[in-house]
Amino acid sequence: MLVLALKLFLAHFIGDFVCQPNAWVRHKEKHKHRSKYLYWHVFVHFLVLIILLQFDFSYWIGITLITVSHFIIDLAKLHLNDRTNNRILFALDQLAHFIIIGLVLSIYYPFKVDLHFIFEAKTLLLLTSFVCLTQVTSVVMKTIISKWDLKDFDNESSLKDAGAYIGILERLFVFMFIITNHWEGVGFLIAAKSVFRFGDLSKAKDRKLTEYVLIGTLLSFGLAILIALGYNYISNLI
């Protein structure tokens, strides 16, 4: 089962990402079902699939199901592209392909998906930690540092919500470093962030901005460390 799964996923990644030039994507988005590259893309995907399956046509049901579904999913994505958030559409598109691959695997190697593990204590603890590291901590930090007004330093050229996403990512990294017992990774992360932030602070030449950044960084790392330590402590009790 593992070999077949790897072949199907590899065929998908090669067909969808490696063998699909940007020119094809732009042409498909513009002409949709009238684009010749839509059909070329599906054919390439089919070709990669049968090559990886070593021309073993005993898998003809799976090959047909993946090829036809790929065409239908891509066609639906092209027609929804103008009306749906592109990032969400990309995620749904890939999820649909993965579900089809799972369905094909179940045809040749029947398996059951047990979702009861989601409600086990350790899984719930991990999910709780992730929620705390992302939205909960963001709100807590925003509330704490809102007492300082730094509108004078707003940079209109900065990416929208970039600071929030950077904070979430750094906390997730800190969490993963600590629960896997790699504390040195936390130090590396702090050093890396300091290097990238040095340019902003040296240009600003303002003590208020420096203090603001330091408070935000220490709060972010501190809360992430507390959540990770709490996760480790509770996890050992379970």
Side-chain angles (χ1 to χ4, degrees):
M1 178 180 177
L2 180 59
V3 174
L4 178 60
L6 289 172
K7 287 180 177 179
L8 296 181
F9 278 109
L10 181 58
H12 171 72
F13 294 138
I14 292 175
D16 238 22
F17 298 98
V18 179
C19 295
Q20 185 174 207
N22 289 330
W24 288 20
V25 176
R26 290 192 295 269
H27 195 275
K28 288 193 303 177
E29 289 176 348
K30 182 178 180 180
H31 299 282
K32 296 182 172 41
H33 61 277
R34 293 188 297 274
S35 172
K36 63 181 178 181
Y37 293 119
L38 172 62
Y39 304 95
W40 271 111
H41 171 62
V42 174
F43 175 73
V44 168
H45 200 88
F46 166 77
L47 196 60
V48 172
L49 189 59
I50 61 172
I51 290 172
L52 286 176
L53 290 174
Q54 298 171 285
F55 297 92
D56 186 351
F57 288 99
S58 63
Y59 293 112
W60 70 269
I61 295 177
I63 294 170
T64 304
L65 183 58
I66 288 175
T67 304
V68 173
S69 67
H70 201 97
F71 172 76
I72 295 171
I73 293 168
D74 277 22
L75 187 61
K77 180 186 175 184
L78 290 173
H79 283 282
L80 291 171
N81 200 36
D82 299 329
R83 292 173 287 174
T84 311
N85 183 290
N86 192 49
R87 293 184 297 276
I88 295 174
L89 196 58
F90 173 79
L92 292 174
D93 169 70
Q94 294 302 311
L95 179 61
H97 291 309
F98 291 162
I99 289 172
I100 295 297
I101 290 174
L103 180 61
V104 170
L105 284 172
S106 69
I107 293 173
Y108 299 103
Y109 299 95
F111 62 90
K112 290 177 65 178
V113 178
D114 186 7
L115 298 178
H116 286 93
F117 77 94
I118 295 175
F119 300 101
E120 292 179 359
K122 286 198 172 183
T123 307
L124 290 172
L125 176 61
L126 185 63
L127 290 173
T128 303
S129 299
F130 280 147
V131 172
C132 289
L133 287 164
T134 53
Q135 295 303 315
V136 176
T137 306
S138 295
V139 173
V140 170
M141 286 186 58
K142 187 176 181 181
T143 303
I144 292 173
I145 64 178
S146 63
K147 64 179 290 187
W148 295 291
D149 184 12
L150 289 182
K151 291 179 180 178
D152 294 339
F153 298 101
D154 286 346
N155 188 353
E156 294 180 359
S157 64
S158 64
L159 298 175
K160 183 181 179 182
D161 298 327
Y165 289 127
I166 291 170
I168 289 172
L169 287 172
E170 74 183 20
R171 289 192 294 274
L172 288 174
F173 277 122
V174 169
F175 179 79
M176 295 306 297
F177 284 139
I178 293 175
I179 68 172
T180 56
N181 201 29
H182 288 89
W183 282 84
E184 65 277 9
V186 179
F188 171 79
L189 206 58
I190 293 174
K193 186 173 182 181
S194 300
V195 170
F196 284 114
R197 271 294 191 178
F198 178 76
D200 294 336
L201 298 178
S202 61
K203 289 177 185 176
K205 296 179 181 178
D206 193 284
R207 184 175 177 181
K208 282 172 63 178
L209 179 61
T210 304
E211 290 173 344
Y212 183 83
V213 171
L214 283 173
I215 290 170
T217 298
L218 292 174
L219 264 176
S220 183
F221 277 84
L223 290 170
I225 290 170
L226 284 175
I227 293 170
L229 291 175
Y231 172 87
N232 282 341
Y233 178 77
I234 298 172
S235 182
N236 290 331
L237 296 177
I238 296 174

